[in-house]
Amino acid sequence: DPMSYTSMLETAYKALKGTNARVKHIILLGDGDAEDPNYERVVKRIRAGGVTVSTVATNGLGLSDFLTMQGISRWGGGRYYRADDAASIPKIFLREARTVSRSGIVEGKFYPQELSASPMLRDLRGIAPLYGYVATTPKPTGEMVLVSQKLDPVLAGWQLGLGRSVAWTSDDAGLWTRDWLQAPNANRFWADVVSWTLPTSQGKHLSLTASSSQGVGRIGADIPPSLGADPRVVADVLDPRLHASKVTLHPSSPGHFEGSFLTGAQGSYSLTVEARGAGHAEAESAGLDVPYPAEYRTIGTNFAFLQSLSRAGGGSILRDSRQVWRPNLRPVFAEQSLANWLWLLALLLLPIDIGIRRLVVTRSDMQAIWQALRLRQPVVASVQPTVAPLGTLRTHRTQRRSASASIPVAQQDSARSKSADVFLRPQRQSNETASPPTPAEQAAPEPADDVVSTTGRLLAAKKRRK
């Protein structure tokens, strides 16, 4: 956290100025609060010396801090990053290092090297030097025609299906191609490049076909008559793993040559066929895509296989989604563990087991328990004969005694017998209903006068009932 970044920038510039590195770059990390009016002059001088400057602002407290870091990166010809999270700073440094080191321009005099014979070089007489190009990476299935001393592509072609494209990594305005544009037939080179991207004309140039079947690739080439009766036809094959091989094509019919090669790997194959004869050559390129095996390329629904599979499993094919919910499945029997239920039963029986082993119950205890249970049973009320209350009996006795004083003795006896008959009639009716009177009861003598009282009559009736 210095007061100014000027001394640090000048020290870094002096360290880089004395090196022979192709790329010289400074990354300044700070919070931006070190203000200095000399930043613009110092950073522009560093930039003029061939050193670029990028800045990473972190933990800035205000807008002026961020503007300071942005200004330094702008004057230094670099990039500005804001890293509020300290964990992202290493990633920013790696990203900036890759960006700076990946300079796309490669300058210097070199002679392009021809890797494959292509119709694009048909009319070129000698390879002129180039002075620079843009570094690129070739596609795996692309055909590199011209490369640099670092094997970077300078002229490359790519064919996919019926389409073609060409990449020329140098320029066409004379910056790096001043000698190339002055070479003989240089104008024909550009015409051949454009013509290669257009559909081939049948009958005048070599035409190429490619196919694959059962792990074998087949190449067919139609040779124009201008190459003579017995041309030499060779194909360069580049597989998806970038392994190159050569295949010699043999005549199968007049003007038609064929050859084959193994296609052990799935992917795109690059094919370049060159035919030489009668003092000149013809070349053509094509691509071949080898897909997955045939069993993976089957389209449609194999109902025959599904039907056999459903029969083997005892089911059926469901052609409608609503059939999924039909209750037509057979019951399935399976074992189920009873451990949990047995543990629950043991838990319920545990108190009973403890009670039986700890409590001593004798026979007398069982009888007492049984007697207590019987006493708790509800008592059924029995029907008893209607007996007049004692107060009512006394009232009738008093009335009879008062009445007997004014009537003769014979009438009193008759009244007493009637009174006794009235009070004893319900009991007699009950006895008659229960069982008929015995002869001894019928012959029993009438009570004497001294027992004609109410209490006496009741006792006499009780004795007769017994």
Side-chain angles (χ1 to χ4, degrees), residues 271-387:
L271 309 176
T272 302
V273 176
E274 181 181 9
R276 294 183 178 272
H280 68 280
E282 292 284 345
E284 186 65 34
S285 299
L288 175 62
D289 291 329
V290 178
Y292 292 105
E295 58 267 21
Y296 296 105
R297 294 188 289 110
T298 302
I299 59 176
T301 304
N302 191 350
F303 286 102
F305 172 72
L306 294 178
Q307 188 67 37
S308 61
L309 190 64
S310 62
R311 285 197 301 267
S316 60
I317 298 179
L318 304 180
R319 301 178 183 271
D320 189 357
S321 59
R322 292 174 295 182
Q323 297 178 350
V324 176
W325 310 107
R326 292 187 307 174
N328 59 346
L329 298 179
R330 294 181 298 179
V332 178
F333 299 95
E335 297 181 358
Q336 185 176 1
S337 177
L338 299 178
N340 295 334
W341 294 104
L342 294 178
W343 279 110
L344 180 60
L345 180 61
L347 184 62
L348 295 176
L349 295 178
L350 180 61
I352 301 176
D353 177 67
I354 295 175
I356 293 175
R357 290 188 288 106
R358 296 294 182 180
L359 300 178
V360 179
V361 182
T362 61
R363 184 174 182 180
S364 59
D365 296 334
M366 295 297 296
Q367 292 177 354
I369 294 173
W370 176 252
Q371 188 65 26
L373 294 176
R374 290 187 61 187
L375 292 177
R376 293 178 60 89
Q377 295 178 358
V379 180
V380 181
S382 58
V383 181
Q384 299 293 336
T386 303
V387 180

Side-chain angles (χ1 to χ4, degrees), residues 234-237 244-248:
V234 179
D236 293 327
V237 180
S245 60
K246 289 185 176 293
V247 178
T248 302

